[in-house]
Amino acid sequence: MAESVAPPPPAPPAPERRLGRTLAWIAGELAVIAVALVAGAWALLGSEAALDYVLERAVQASEGRLTIEGGEGSLLSTVRVARIAWRGDDI
């Protein structure tokens, strides 16, 4: 009977190829992370909670002289406010 000879194992990829693949993988992962961050920011800014936060910060920054009531909408679209009032002499 004839003996079967196994083919030799394939040679490992050249170091340049490994470096290129590693860099491509890192670039791909960074792109995925960037897309996830942009999508998260878009979802956050599109929420009414973000609008509420910004309106609350505006009232706090005015030290209570600004009153904002009935804010609705999102920071990425139309914002509607039922009432805005300023108490004080200076603007």
Side-chain angles (χ1 to χ4, degrees):
M1 285 208 184
E3 292 181 32
S4 63
V5 177
E16 303 89 36
R17 276 185 110 184
R18 271 188 272 157
L19 178 62
R21 285 182 183 170
T22 301
L23 291 176
W25 183 83
I26 290 171
E29 291 297 314
L30 289 175
V32 167
I33 291 169
V35 168
L37 287 173
V38 168
W42 190 268
L44 177 65
L45 293 175
S47 70
E48 196 162 327
L51 176 64
D52 292 340
Y53 174 77
V54 169
L55 295 179
E56 182 180 321
R57 293 288 299 148
V59 170
Q60 289 175 357
S62 72
E63 298 173 350
R65 291 177 288 191
L66 178 65
T67 304
I68 302 174
E69 297 174 359
E72 59 183 42
S74 77
L75 297 174
L76 298 177
S77 66
T78 304
V79 174
R80 291 186 176 88
V81 177
R83 181 173 177 269
I84 298 177
W86 180 267
R87 286 184 231 133
D89 294 334
D90 57 332
I91 294 181

